[in-house]
Amino acid sequence: MLDQELGTCRSVTSTPSYVTALSQRAISSKAYLEEIQMVDETKGSLSGLSEDEAMEFHGVFMTSMMGFLAVAAVAHVLAWMWRPWGVAW
């Protein structure tokens, strides 16, 4: 039947590569879905950090940000004392 319709394919069993590709695609999508379910079941964060690690990172980040803001504020005050902006000459 396929010989008559397509002219190039002799039988259904002569296309193992197509069947293999479909089965590999099905296996890979099944593995992908299992991986997604595992991520959902662990209830982990997107970063992969545990809650304790995330809290430690947050503390370091906040300390660093406050230090940066303090240095920036001092730099702005010193720059304003040197050459005030917003003041009519």
Side-chain angles (χ1 to χ4, degrees), residues 5-74:
E5 291 178 9
L6 299 175
T8 57
C9 188
R10 295 186 182 217
S11 68
V12 176
T13 59
S14 69
T15 58
S17 61
Y18 178 72
V19 174
T20 304
L22 285 179
S23 63
Q24 287 176 349
R25 183 180 291 170
I27 290 170
S28 64
S29 64
K30 182 180 178 184
Y32 177 72
L33 290 175
E34 289 174 357
E35 185 177 334
I36 290 174
Q37 288 173 347
M38 286 175 45
V39 170
D40 290 342
E41 290 173 3
T42 58
K43 296 180 183 177
S45 65
L46 292 175
S47 66
L49 297 175
S50 68
E51 190 167 342
D52 292 336
E53 291 170 335
M55 292 297 288
E56 181 180 357
F57 177 81
H58 178 72
V60 171
F61 180 83
M62 292 302 291
T63 302
S64 301
M65 187 183 71
M66 290 301 167
F68 176 80
L69 289 176
V71 169
V74 169

